[in-house]
Amino acid sequence: MLSVVLDLERYGFINQGLLPPKFQIVKRIEAEKGDSLIDSHREIKMEFLKVWRKEDMSVFDEKIPEYSFLDLKIDILGEMLKECIFCERRCGVNRYERMGFCKCGVESYYSSEFLHFGEEPELVPSHTIFFNRCTFACVFCQNHDIVYHDDRAVNPKELGMIVDIRRKQGSRNVNFVGGNPDQHAHTVLKILKHVSSNIPVVWNSNMYHSMELSEIVEDVVDVWLGDFKYGNSRCAEKYSKVRDYFRVVTRNFSRAREHGELLVRHLVMPEHVECCTEKVVRWVSENLGRDVRFNLMFQYWPAYKASEYPEISRRLNSREMKRAMEIASLYLDNLV
Ligand code: SF4
């Protein structure tokens, strides 16, 4: 009998050694390329879902095949990079030759990896791998200097080994963040190929990835740690230079809810409690459930170019914090 663990139940069971993380299942399912990579992927995905839903550890009786479902995913993303549609900007550029909006080619860079103690209680210590670059262009970016500086090229084998070492040091998950992880999905899967520990995978994303990317990466993500920044597409376009935000992000949150566990973050912004915080909270409550784990964050500060936008060129005041908390408490039961 499995015992109940906080809110991210399945995540808790993985950490207790009672269930496998998804990527360890994906690694043990044999695959064939077939005539169409994506058709093969859809077929094998059915098998994966059966094993995943079985909720036992018998998958570890299987040997790792020469060519696995994980290898197939890596090959698909390798192809997708030739006309990149990793995110809904859908640049369509060949990232082997040039960069898209996110300023990423095929190589991935990261600025740091460490045990992070400042995440939500159920995640810490979290092995955070901080990738560079982003699919958004937030005018208030708090990490702009770090994100657009190429620190270290990722060596997947080396980073995979580091994930195992951090696990031995006590990490409860490996947390792919940035910047944003979506544009580095091909690299993340290559890292996971070299990870042998049974560690839950956390995908810490702006949730603006394409459906095509969801289809591939959702089978290795145990917990979606999704940023839900705006309650409408107008504010998203103004401050993050991104189109059709609300439709894309709500679609992705709904899909993530079906394919894994979810922790939603929302950063409250000055003058945006009614148009963003309230809309986000209501949508989450009505569509993901009142019980979804939700982190209402008050640490906004006017970084980067925020001073060019007078309405967001200050910190939150107490009235805004109080109002945001009232709204969240009214609609949600599981605040961090
Ligand atoms: S990840 Fe998004 S922003 Fe980057 S090249 Fe691909 S489609 Fe463009």
Side-chain angles (χ1 to χ4, degrees):
M1 187 73 181
L2 302 175
S3 60
V4 174
V5 180
L6 287 173
D7 308 286
L8 301 170
E9 194 176 54
R10 193 171 183 120
Y11 162 81
F13 292 150
I14 299 169
N15 266 317
Q16 290 178 48
L18 299 171
L19 287 179
K22 281 177 168 176
F23 78 94
Q24 291 290 13
I25 302 175
V26 165
K27 255 195 213 186
R28 283 168 172 78
I29 294 178
E30 190 162 15
E32 273 180 31
K33 287 192 183 185
D35 293 336
S36 151
L37 295 182
I38 200 70
D39 286 350
S40 300
H41 185 272
R42 283 185 186 141
E43 217 172 283
I44 300 166
K45 194 176 182 105
M46 309 297 283
E47 193 187 327
F48 161 77
L49 288 172
K50 268 192 228 155
V51 179
W52 180 54
R53 287 183 183 133
K54 223 165 73 180
E55 298 202 332
D56 67 24
M57 296 290 275
S58 60
V59 70
F60 288 105
D61 299 340
E62 306 295 326
K63 283 201 180 121
I64 295 179
E66 209 164 294
Y67 188 78
S68 72
F69 192 30
L70 184 60
D71 294 311
L72 179 62
K73 286 175 180 293
I74 291 169
D75 285 343
I76 290 173
L77 294 185
E79 284 298 308
M80 214 191 277
L81 282 167
K82 291 177 184 166
E83 281 180 69
C84 188
I85 49 164
F86 276 25
C87 82
E88 285 292 356
R89 287 195 187 272
R90 296 186 168 267
C91 301
V93 299
N94 182 348
R95 283 177 49 188
Y96 292 94
E97 293 172 358
R98 51 186 281 240
M99 296 173 184
F101 178 91
C102 61
K103 299 203 169 45
C104 288
V106 73
E107 185 125 49
S108 295
Y109 293 84
Y110 72 108
S111 58
S112 60
E113 64 73 29
F114 58 98
L115 288 184
H116 193 357
F117 289 82
E119 303 283 53
E120 287 77 359
E122 52 272 79
L123 299 185
V124 297
S126 179
H127 180 203
T128 303
I129 299 180
F130 196 100
F131 283 100
N132 293 3
R133 311 298 165 93
C134 192
T135 56
F136 277 11
C138 301
V139 297
F140 52 89
C141 181
Q142 300 179 356
N143 294 314
H144 193 267
D145 291 352
I146 305 168
V147 168
Y148 288 95
H149 192 271
D150 287 340
D151 294 306
R152 277 168 264 187
V154 173
N155 174 330
K157 190 171 178 189
E158 193 182 285
L159 216 37
M161 283 166 56
I162 293 173
V163 172
D164 284 337
I165 292 168
R166 293 296 193 196
R167 180 62 159 173
K168 286 193 183 121
Q169 292 172 343
S171 65
R172 291 169 82 189
N173 52 75
V174 54
N175 182 348
F176 295 105
V177 63
N180 195 51
D182 301 345
Q183 68 277 13
H184 301 292
H186 57 302
T187 305
V188 172
L189 297 199
K190 286 180 191 165
I191 293 169
L192 292 175
K193 191 170 159 62
H194 297 284
V195 175
S196 53
S197 49
N198 294 329
I199 186 156
V201 170
V202 173
W203 198 272
N204 191 337
S205 161
N206 62 24
M207 301 302 277
Y208 194 68
H209 43 269
S210 65
M211 283 290 268
E212 291 87 342
L213 193 78
S214 294
E215 197 179 342
I216 307 300
V217 301
E218 66 199 6
D219 304 330
V220 304
V221 176
D222 297 295
V223 178
W224 292 88
L225 181 52
D227 253 337
F228 200 155
K229 282 189 187 338
Y230 306 106
N232 65 82
S233 297
R234 192 175 23 84
C235 293
E237 186 148 7
K238 183 171 185 186
Y239 302 118
S240 292
K241 315 299 171 204
V242 67
R243 289 205 179 135
D244 204 13
Y245 173 86
F246 199 74
R247 183 190 64 79
V248 170
V249 166
T250 51
R251 177 198 72 195
N252 287 345
F253 270 114
S254 297
R255 185 163 177 143
R257 181 70 157 164
E258 283 170 32
H259 287 266
E261 290 179 303
L262 199 55
L263 204 160
V264 183
R265 284 178 172 172
H266 171 70
L267 179 69
V268 183
M269 291 173 62
E271 304 294 340
H272 287 268
V273 174
E274 309 303 325
C275 61
C276 290
T277 301
E278 180 164 10
K279 299 287 186 305
V280 166
V281 165
R282 286 182 67 149
W283 187 90
V284 168
S285 173
E286 286 162 13
N287 296 278
L288 304 177
R290 289 184 64 96
D291 61 336
V292 78
R293 193 76 167 133
F294 192 95
N295 188 355
L296 188 70
M297 303 190 300
F298 293 135
Q299 59 263 50
Y300 175 86
W301 55 280
Y304 189 41
K305 293 182 182 167
S307 59
E308 294 170 21
Y309 299 78
E311 69 281 12
I312 58 163
S313 65
R314 61 169 173 84
R315 289 178 186 266
L316 294 169
N317 60 38
S318 56
R319 180 184 49 80
E320 287 164 329
M321 287 192 247
K322 187 164 171 274
R323 179 70 189 130
M325 192 45 104
E326 275 169 9
I327 293 167
S329 307
L330 188 63
Y331 290 102
L332 297 166
D333 295 331
N334 201 356
L335 297 174
V336 174

